[in-house]
């Protein structure tokens, strides 16, 4: 999501921070900022938009001699991309940069406001700095105050904090968001949220673990866990930048598949508790008199829309239709003012989706965007937006954007089901349990990935792939097929399993690969018969299911979950990895497949 850097040393601090942020800019760039303390003087600079704006702003600023500094490049989660919302956030004598989300920021903010603290931003991060200064007032001990502050924070964070109270020290903490500390032989200390900014500067690094915190200055680096100082084990740092940006993965797509567990936790964070779902972005009145829902989107986002329609109707009991945006915009649609119009887009710039949104707005419909990029054209136009919080997605083949879209839509379904009293309390609680369990399912298991790598060698030829599924798993079949064709250039189709017999089954022979999504919780017996029909016609079958399937040529066993969405997310991972491994074996450029663009801003 966001990126953070820190520096202690004698070199030109501004340049070190800005160069570090440049390495992280791919993670988020709606605003950026730096704060520096030198000779007890504090300086802060912030700018909205790309880093070049901050570079321009700091053009005439230079440091000489020893100092400390922190920097941040932001990808908005709470509050618009404005200068006030940009990091570092300041108190009276301290600055903080933060990655992640403070879940309990509202309670903390309320209690600090009662004590007279004034908040100038809409961010969760600002609470950290006021809380720190409040704690410092009591003890006059900066480290103690920092320790007490992080003990109060719930959620995910990587934090760097500077204070005039200890002008040569950076305080740091990590929980759920990455943070690395590095040093070299010139007595310089570096911090960053990924290793790319450290390359060429730090010689040795240590990846902080969750729950660790500490402080660093020219004299010492101390790291603590559960109030006890730990022995710091540094390891040498690679000098391959591209490798570091990809976090050691071969492709951004692979990295993004592996990130899904973490980003989906961020999607959920602060929105779901054990017995409720809540969105800061709107209140109940936004949905007054809504009778039905229409969803418009393209590509992967369209598939997320299609899958969610099953949930809107089944759980929230709201009629829901889904249309491909490029079709919708020219069909002269008949629209009704009591329709909620939802657009879904990773980039927020897709021309067809944007046009569909304009049509809906013009017709006076209430509009809601599910989007990953704050301040994008779609976000600016929609009445309200739920941000998916996937962070920048670099791979052209969308993966983590899809996972987070699905999560937002599922939460929205339950929010509406609850609002309209259409869901039984027990069912609602089970759904929440499943939501909270999803990040665990999205952790890629080594043995699964290895199995898919091995399997992939059998699927490099043939005259086509049919991904088949029913119900929710039909849109997932479409998504699996889209992933494969985008990056492998093999022909693949997603099809409703029950529809195969109405034509496509004519294609069945050993060179036709069927990827069968056979979940336990939805229509297992039905899809089993559909796959048997294909097997009888000699199609090569790869079955993905918790149940052994004797007619399968290949089989990927999934876990025995009791909720269809958990099966959905596990199978989503499998089809993503399968596409990746087939494309890798074919020697294709997975991140930049031919003929495609990440953001489709033309018709
Ligand atoms: O940015 P959007 O979600 O609006 O983009 C829509 C499609 O262009 C996008 O999902 C595309 O299909 C991806 N390449 C799929 O992997």
């Amino acid at each position: 999501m966001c990126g953070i850097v820190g520096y202690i040393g004698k070199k030109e601090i501004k340049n070190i921070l800005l160069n570090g942020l440049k390495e992280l800019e791919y993670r988020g760039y709606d605003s950026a900022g730096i704060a520096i303390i030198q000779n007890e003087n504090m300086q802060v600079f912030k700018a909205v938009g790309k880093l070049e704006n901050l570079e321009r702003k700091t053009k005439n600023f230079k440091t000489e001699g020893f100092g400390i500094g922190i920097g941040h490049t932001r990808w908005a989660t709470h509050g618009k991309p404005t200068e006030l919302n940009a990091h570092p956030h300041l108190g009276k004598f301290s600055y903080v940069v933060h990655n992640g989300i403070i879940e309990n920021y509202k309670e903390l903010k309320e209690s600090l406001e009662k004590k007279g603290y004034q908040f100038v931003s809409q961010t969760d991060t600002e609470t950290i700095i006021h809380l720190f200064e409040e704690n410092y007032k009591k003890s006059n001990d900066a480290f103690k105050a920092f320790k007490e502050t992080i003990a109060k924070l719930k959620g995910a964070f990587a934090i760097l904090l500077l204070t005039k109270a200890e002008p040569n020290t950076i305080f740091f903490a990590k929980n759920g968001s990455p943070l690395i500390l590095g040093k070299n032989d010139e007595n310089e200390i570096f911090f960053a949220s990924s290793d790319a900014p450290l390359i060429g500067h730090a010689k040795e690094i240590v990846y902080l673990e969750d729950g660790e915190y500490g402080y660093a200055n020219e004299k010492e680096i101390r790291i603590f866990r559960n109030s006890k100082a730990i022995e710091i084990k540094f390891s040498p740092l690679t000098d391959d930048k591209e490798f570091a940006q990809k976090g050691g993965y071969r492709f951004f797509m692979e990295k993004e598949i592996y990130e899904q567990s973490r980003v989906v936790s961020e999607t959920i964070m602060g929105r779901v508790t054990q017995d409720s779902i809540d969105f800061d972005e709107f209140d109940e009145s936004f949905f007054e008199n809504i009778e039905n829902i229409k969803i418009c989107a393209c590509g992967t986002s369209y598939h997320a829309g299609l899958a969610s329609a099953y949930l809107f109707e089944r759980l929230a009991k709201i009629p829901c239709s889904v249309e491909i945006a490029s079709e919708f915009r020219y069909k002269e649609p008949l629209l009704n003012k009591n329709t909620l119009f939802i657009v879904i887009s990773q980039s927020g710039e897709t021309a067809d989706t944007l046009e569909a949104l304009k049509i809906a707005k013009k017709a006076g419909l209430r509009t809601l965007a599910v989007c990953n990029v704050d301040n994008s054209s779609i976000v600016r136009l929609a009445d309200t937006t739920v941000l998916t919080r996937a962070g920048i997605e670099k791979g052209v083949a969308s993966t983590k954007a899809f996972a987070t879209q699905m999560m937002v839509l599922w939460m929205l379904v339950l929010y509406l089901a609850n609002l309209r009293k259409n869901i039984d309390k027990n069912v609602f609680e089970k759904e929440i349990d499943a939501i909270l369990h999803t990040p665990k399912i999205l952790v890629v298991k080594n043995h699964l990935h290895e199995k898919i790598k091995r399997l992939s060698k059998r699927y490099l030829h043939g005259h086509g792939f049919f991904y088949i599924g029913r119900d929710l798993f039909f849109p997932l079949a479409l998504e699996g097929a889209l992933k494969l064709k985008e990056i492998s250039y093999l022909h693949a189709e997603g099809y409703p399993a029950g529809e195969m017999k109405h034509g496509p089954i004519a294609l069945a022979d050993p060179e036709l690969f069927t990827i069968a999504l056979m979940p336990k919780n939805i229509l297992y017996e039905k899809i089993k018969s559909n796959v048997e029909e294909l097997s009888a016609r000699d199609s090569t079958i790869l079955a993905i299911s918790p149940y052994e399937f004797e007619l399968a040529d290949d089989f990927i066993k999934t876990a025995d979950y009791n909720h269809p969405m958990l099966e959905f997310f596990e199978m989503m991972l499998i089809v993503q990895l399968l596409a990746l491994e087939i494309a890798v074996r074919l020697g294709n450029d997975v991140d930049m497949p031919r003929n495609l663009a990440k953001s489709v801003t033309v018709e």
Side-chain angles (χ1 to χ4, degrees), residues 343-358:
V343 284
I344 309 169
S345 174
Q346 187 287 127
S347 60
E349 300 298 345
T350 302
D352 288 320
T353 311
L354 183 60
E355 278 314 306
L357 177 60
K358 285 182 189 161

Side-chain angles (χ1 to χ4, degrees), residues 298-301 344-348 350 396-398 405 482-483 486 600:
C298 305
T300 288
S301 301
I344 309 169
S345 174
Q346 187 287 127
S347 60
T350 302
V396 165
S398 192
Q405 288 167 347
L482 177 63
K483 286 293 83 83
E486 278 185 291
V600 188

